[in-house]
Each structure stands twice: as C-alpha cells, then as structure tokens.
Amino acid sequence: MSGPSTPPLRIAAVAYLNARPLYEGLDREPASARFRLDCATPSEVARQVAEDEAHFGLMPVAAAATIGDLSMVRGCAIGACGPVRSIALVAEQPIDDLQELAVDLSSRTSVVLARLVLRHRRGGREPRLVGCLPREAIETVRGPRGALVIGDPALEIEGRFEHVLDLGQAWWEWTGLPFVFAAWCGRAGALSADDERLLQAAKRLGLDRRDALADEHAARTGLAAASLRAYLHDAIRYDLGESERKGLERFYDEAAGAGLLPKARVRFFDDDRAAPAAPRSLDGLLGRAADGDRISAAEGERLAASASLFDLGLAADAIRRRKHPDGVVTYIVDRNVNYTNVCTTSCRFCAFYRPLGHSEAWVLSRAQLSEKLSEVVQAGGVQILLQGGLHPELRIEWYEDLFRWIKSEFGLGLHALSPEEILHIARLEGLSVRRVLERLREAGLDSVPGGGAEILVDRVRRTIAKAKCTSDQWLGVMRVAHHMGLRSSATMMYGTVDTSRDRVAHLIKLRDLQDETAGFTAFFCWDFQHERGTHIEPGENGTILYLRQQAVARIMLDNIEHVGASWVTQGPEVGQVALRFGADDFGSVMFEENVVSSAGTTFCMNAQAMEHRIRAAGFKAARRNVHYDWLTPPA
C-alpha cells in the first residue's frame, strides 16, 4: 500500500445507478485515502482517462479499445447475460424498419453495439445516426425515427414505447455470450495489487447494498423500488470472468471487422504484473495501417514516436492509393477572405486580430469585397472561404445581407464561418446553433470551414486561447451542421503546448464524429506560425514533424476521404512531398492570406503554378469544388 504522503489516484466512474455497486464505499476509509472519485457520463469518464486527467476509470469498453493500451481489473464489470433493460432501442414502429436513429452519445459501447446488432438483423444496413442528448433523443421518436437510450433514462421510459429492442437480449440471441458494457480500465501500471483489492472490496460492499441503492434511487426519481431492485439483482452482471471475457472479445472482433473499433484484446492488470506485455511488431502495425485497419490512439502514438519517416510515408501513401487509385490530385480556385480583423478572443497564437476600437481594426466594405470577389470570378473561381474575427457589433442580419449580396452579385459558393464564429453569433443573438445555421443557409451558406479547431483537448485550448469554445462545443457545431446536410472540413493546428498524445486525441475525436455523421469532406493540418506578433512560445514544429503528423492523420482518419497538403504554411516544395505522405489534395489557389501571413508566412501560388507542382510530383491535376467533385478532366 502507498505511504501517507502519496497523493490519491484520480479515478472516474459512470454515474448511472447500475455502476453504483462497483464503487460503493470508495468515498470512505481506507479507500478514500487512496482514491479520489469523480462521477460523470460514460463519455466524460473515457475522455478523462484518454487525456490523463484520471489514472483509471469505470468506463465504456469501446472507449477502452479506442484508447488502446488499457488494462482491466479482473472480476469487476457492468454487463448482462440476456435482457439488460437499460440499453435499448425504442420506436413507434418496428425497429428493423427505422430509417433514422437518435443516439445518446454518452456511451460509445452502446452505439457500436446498436450498429452491429442492426447490421446483423438488417443484412448490413443501418439507419442514419443522429447524435442527441438523452432527453432530445427520446422526445424526437416518431414515425421512422427511433432512439438508442442508455442508462438511467432508459429505466425511466420503460413501457412508454410499443417497439423496444433490448440490446443485451439481442446480443445474447446472436452470440450466446454475455455482454460487457463497462469495466475498470487504466494504463499499464496504474493500479497495484492492493488497489485492486480495494476495488474488489467496494464491489462486495456494493453488491450487499443493492437493495438500499435501489431504494435510494427510487426515492430520488419516483421509480418503483421493486423494479429497481430487480434490475440490480437480475439484469446487471458484475463479473468479469472467462465467459465475460469471451463475450467482450467477440464484441471487439465484430466491431473491428465492421471498421467501428480498432482491433483489441482483453488484458488484466494482474497479467501486466505477472508478465509485462511485449510490444507488438512495429512492422506489423505499419502493415495493418497500410491495409486500412482502424488504429487505436496508443498505436497512433507509437507510430508517431517510433516509425521512421520513410515507413510512415509508405503507409500513408498506400492508404491514399487505395482510396484514390486514379492518381489524381485536386485543387480549388477560391479565395480566403477575412471580412474583419476585430476579435474578442485574444488568442495567444494569433498575430492577426485587433480589439474593437484599435487604430488598425477594420471591417471590409462592400467595395473592397467586390474587388476581391470579382478577381475570383475572373480567375474561374467557384467559391470563397469567408472567415473573420468575433466582432461584437456584427449581428446575424449583417451576415445574412452579406451572403445574399455575394450570391446575387457573384454566384460564388460560400464556405463560410468557423464553428467559433457560429457560436459567437448564437450567443450574440440568443439563438440556438441550429437556428443560426438555418438562417445562414437560407441566406446562402453552402459549407462550414474547420477553422478554430486548433487542438481539440481543453487543457491545450485553455492555455492558448482561454476565451475560445470548448472541444465539445466545436464538435457540437459540426454535428448540427452535418445533420442539416451541410458539409465541412476538419483541421488541426499543432505546435504550441500540445503533445503527441493531444494530437492523436484530436484525430480520434474527429474520427468519432465522422463515424456518426460522415460530414467531414477533408482534413488539413499545419504547425503554429510563430515568427512574429504572437504571444506564445513555439512547441514542436518543423518540416519533418509536419510530414509525420500528416501521415499519422491519414492513417488514423480512415473514414475521411481526403487529406490536403498545407503548402501555404510549409511551402510549395514541402507541399509536393506531402503528396507522398497521404495527401490527395493541394488545397486552394492563394490570392491572398492574412492570418498566417500576419505571423510571417507568405507563400502564394496561382492555378498554373499549382498544376505544374502537382504534375511534377507525378500526379494528374483536376480542379474541384468544395464537395470534391472534379470540375475539369484530370490532366
């Protein structure tokens, strides 16, 4: 046991009733001296473990596979052997006829299980997924739209819907095996044998107190105590023995075969102590990556740290060739128009913004915009990328009038307003994100750029841009846009205070959202441009890291079709090399660029030079639109 001066381990656990028996008593001595417990949604528990905010957690097993290097506590789990009652698909019409499924995103395990079960029942088909909060998912069930409901909310609606598919029962009927939904998971070495004994003792206490826990929950919620007692005694299994292990590994195999999870195997902490796992072959991992297998976060980190630059490039290039066998590299003729440099977020990495009232602050006039947009039309351009700072005095009507004017006068596509800008307008107007996007789309918005993502890890975001939206808010805007039929790009700016683990976590979050919505058209990454005018010291950067990072992104983002070369920040020559590191797109002709050029980067290229660069790198060139449709024949 650790000494009295050892700080307690931070642990996170699912807050649902079914989890209570596994951590009952951890808030009391002797466990409270060793553990500091935080209860949250399953997805938040997984995030805390993935981003090292918790040493270990009672978390969804699908998230454990996605992270990739986690071990489990033997004998402790939340599972079922038949009906589970609290993981269910509900609908007004037969489940197999559903066209749309509102999914509670709080547990990735349940979402993956639902997709596997539905594909198994429907010959490989599944309904369109729509991520929602639990209450929203339930309240929007009607006609051909059902819902996946998880945990306590599922218990609260028992008997409400005519058609119900219990996923524990569906798995049992399909496989004849138990299903494991969650387990205590952490990185190797996170727990000692004494720590595991404390968790086992908590489980014994919790099982003895199931009736009391059920009664307490009944008093809080108004649900029937007898029903909750039966739920904890009969529906939920708390073991993780050999049969549960077989069921879990069958789930991992089915999910990996369907491309929904990385390949995974169950490993216990006591296995690690008896014989530490030998690292798998790096060549084997590279081969799997090149073949298109889904890669876990731990595997992505290993590739980023240990694979040679040459081997990473080969693997990423193999993926590019498989996805785009025609040897075509696309580009787009558009213009990056920054409509204002006024911004209220004061990001430490940005040399472009000015506060309201500053002598160098500006908002482009219609005359200035007209000149810029006319040049795009004359050059055969098809759209503009329109972004700016968060101006506190520009209301939604200003954007609507601007969009209508651009459409009527110039007929250009509008790839406009990052999630940060959309959130800013929503706050300014007191509107929902959906309503802002609806109004902007009615005015002419065609797609949403991926700006403002930086690194989708809040520890990083709080350091470099504390006034910016959170990772969940950024992803939430994209989720709403995608479900409305708008498409977007995905981006990453690295090289400030981020680590390799942060960068891989960013990619995993993009990949998870893409699994749900399929709304990202392409991914672009670049490093922090810090030459002058910024207020944060540079972190890891440089050409070699850029090529490695792009290759890792191409490997990790198996469900995003296109990767763009960031020649604007790296230079045209590096952009050419990037085409052999997974990129199949050369981005945009650059009439002008204001944000990274404010930090000293000034690369520009016209269409003729861009096509020359593409052909010189051994590819055919084709112009495209924002949806990656070819506008010219490849040549």
Side-chain angles (χ1 to χ4, degrees):
M1 186 73 69
S2 302
S5 63
T6 304
L9 295 180
R10 301 184 308 276
I11 64 175
V14 177
Y16 296 149
L17 170 64
N18 59 25
R20 285 286 305 278
L22 289 183
Y23 55 80
E24 183 70 7
L26 292 185
D27 59 346
R28 298 189 292 275
E29 292 284 357
S32 60
R34 180 57 175 155
F35 303 133
R36 190 180 71 209
L37 176 66
D38 175 46
C39 292
T41 63
S43 58
E44 173 60 13
V45 173
R47 185 201 66 77
Q48 290 184 28
V49 174
E51 297 178 14
D52 295 325
E53 293 180 13
H55 291 94
F56 68 101
L58 181 57
M59 61 184 286
V61 295
T66 298
I67 296 170
D69 61 350
L70 303 188
S71 298
M72 297 181 180
V73 173
R74 192 183 299 273
C76 294
I78 301 171
C81 192
V84 67
R85 292 179 52 187
S86 55
I87 314 289
L89 303 181
V90 299
E92 294 179 340
Q93 64 181 45
I95 301 294
D96 291 340
D97 296 338
L98 295 178
Q99 299 174 18
E100 200 169 78
L101 188 67
V103 294
D104 177 350
L105 298 171
S106 59
S107 173
R108 185 161 177 77
T109 299
S110 300
V111 174
V112 173
L113 176 60
R115 297 182 70 179
L116 290 175
V117 166
L118 288 172
R119 290 181 186 186
H120 175 70
R121 293 167 59 98
R122 295 163 48 136
R125 298 178 298 105
E126 62 180 313
R128 174 176 174 261
L129 303 183
V130 181
C132 298
L133 294 173
R135 304 300 173 195
E136 180 186 0
I138 294 165
E139 296 307 321
T140 57
V141 171
R142 62 180 58 86
R145 175 168 172 153
L148 167 63
V149 192
I150 298 165
D152 295 350
L155 296 176
E156 294 168 10
I157 63 166
E158 283 188 301
R160 176 172 164 182
F161 292 96
E162 179 180 359
H163 297 277
V164 178
L165 180 64
D166 183 300
L167 290 182
Q169 179 68 18
W171 175 259
W172 174 257
E173 292 173 354
W174 176 12
T175 67
L177 292 167
F179 193 85
V180 175
F181 292 96
W184 286 115
C185 303
R187 301 189 195 275
L191 290 177
S192 68
D194 285 339
D195 294 330
E196 289 197 83
R197 281 190 282 272
L198 288 172
L199 294 175
Q200 295 284 2
K203 173 189 170 182
R204 289 192 295 271
L205 175 62
L207 293 183
D208 288 342
R209 294 198 71 246
R210 278 179 286 185
D211 287 348
L213 295 173
D215 292 346
E216 291 167 8
H217 192 78
R220 286 194 301 272
T221 63
L223 298 177
S227 176
L228 295 179
R229 287 184 176 199
Y231 170 66
L232 292 182
H233 280 279
D234 303 330
I236 305 298
R237 292 172 64 105
Y238 291 99
D239 297 323
L240 184 47
E242 191 55 33
S243 62
E244 289 81 17
R245 181 178 189 156
K246 288 180 180 178
L248 179 50
E249 292 193 337
R250 172 69 182 272
F251 170 64
Y252 282 160
D253 288 342
E254 294 286 349
L260 300 177
L261 289 179
K263 291 181 179 178
R265 279 293 177 268
V266 176
R267 185 169 178 83
F268 296 113
F269 282 106
D270 55 13
D271 295 330
D272 298 333
R273 289 190 291 272
R280 294 183 179 179
S281 160
L282 189 59
D283 287 343
L285 176 54
L286 284 162
R288 285 179 46 222
D291 290 341
D293 279 3
R294 175 153 287 192
I295 300 301
S296 72
E299 291 168 334
E301 289 178 44
R302 188 174 179 212
L303 289 176
S306 303
S308 74
L309 179 66
F310 180 72
D311 286 340
L312 271 179
L314 285 177
D317 194 53
I319 295 168
R320 178 198 58 77
R321 285 185 281 109
R322 186 176 60 256
K323 286 182 174 289
H324 309 287
D326 41 42
V328 174
V329 169
T330 54
Y331 72 96
I332 190 167
V333 179
D334 70 354
R335 184 171 196 152
N336 186 358
V337 177
N338 299 115
Y339 57 88
T340 182
N341 68 344
V342 173
C343 191
T344 59
T345 55
S346 305
C347 298
R348 296 176 64 196
F349 59 84
C350 182
F352 171 69
Y353 85 92
R354 296 293 183 271
L356 184 66
H358 192 281
S359 61
E360 297 175 0
W362 47 261
V363 176
L364 292 181
S365 67
R366 290 288 173 94
Q368 291 169 310
L369 283 166
S370 182
E371 181 179 351
K372 293 175 182 291
L373 301 183
S374 295
E375 290 177 4
V376 176
V377 173
Q378 291 165 11
V382 294
Q383 74 168 24
I384 59 166
L385 167 56
L386 185 72
Q387 296 184 114
L390 308 188
H391 196 303
E393 295 180 353
L394 299 182
R395 308 303 294 255
I396 191 170
E397 292 83 7
W398 184 89
Y399 295 95
E400 290 173 313
D401 290 344
L402 176 65
F403 286 11
R404 293 189 184 100
W405 174 73
I406 290 172
K407 286 291 188 179
S408 64
E409 294 295 320
F410 303 97
L412 291 167
L414 276 168
H415 188 49
L417 303 186
S418 68
E420 188 75 48
E421 291 165 275
I422 292 164
L423 282 164
H424 168 70
I425 296 169
R427 286 190 293 264
L428 202 62
E429 302 294 343
L431 298 173
S432 68
V433 166
R434 174 173 290 276
R435 184 56 188 146
V436 169
L437 285 169
E438 286 172 346
R439 288 180 59 171
L440 293 175
R441 183 170 64 175
E442 290 167 4
L445 178 66
D446 295 300
S447 56
V448 179
E454 276 67 83
I455 295 292
L456 294 171
V457 173
D458 288 332
R459 175 188 56 79
V460 175
R461 298 177 74 79
R462 287 191 297 266
T463 301
I464 66 175
K466 62 182 179 181
K468 270 199 164 181
C469 66
T470 66
S471 301
D472 281 349
Q473 287 172 324
W474 190 96
L475 292 163
V477 173
M478 289 303 195
R479 173 176 288 110
V480 172
H482 294 173
H483 287 317
M484 291 175 57
L486 292 165
R487 292 295 170 258
S488 69
S489 53
T491 65
M492 177 170 69
M493 187 202 78
Y494 62 91
T496 56
V497 299
D498 48 272
T499 65
S500 178
R501 178 161 292 172
D502 296 328
R503 297 191 284 273
V504 169
H506 177 104
L507 297 174
I508 292 290
K509 291 179 182 182
L510 294 177
R511 188 173 76 185
D512 285 351
L513 181 57
Q514 184 73 347
D515 271 351
E516 176 196 338
T517 67
F520 289 123
T521 55
F523 172 82
F524 297 82
C525 67
W526 61 90
D527 58 11
F528 166 46
Q529 303 298 299
H530 61 275
E531 282 82 353
R532 63 179 176 85
T534 52
H535 306 285
I536 190 169
E537 290 300 311
E540 298 174 294
N541 59 71
T543 297
I544 299 302
L545 179 59
Y546 166 71
L547 293 172
R548 295 181 69 85
Q549 188 57 60
Q550 183 190 275
V552 169
R554 177 65 288 174
I555 290 167
M556 299 291 296
L557 298 175
D558 52 54
N559 52 6
I560 294 181
E561 285 302 302
H562 303 283
V563 169
S566 185
W567 63 265
V568 176
T569 58
Q570 306 302 314
E573 294 81 6
V574 177
Q576 286 178 290
V577 176
L579 297 177
R580 297 296 178 183
F581 281 75
D584 65 284
D585 183 73
F586 221 50
S588 169
V589 167
M590 196 55 61
F591 289 83
E592 63 173 314
E593 202 293 320
N594 298 309
V595 177
V596 298
S597 60
S598 296
T601 303
T602 55
F603 298 114
C604 287
M605 201 175 349
N606 61 26
Q608 291 71 31
M610 187 170 282
E611 292 195 2
H612 172 75
R613 292 278 184 181
I614 292 170
R615 295 188 186 109
F619 298 91
K620 293 175 283 188
R623 288 192 187 186
R624 64 164 175 87
N625 60 20
V626 74
H627 298 294
Y628 287 77
D629 303 316
W630 294 348
L631 302 180
T632 62

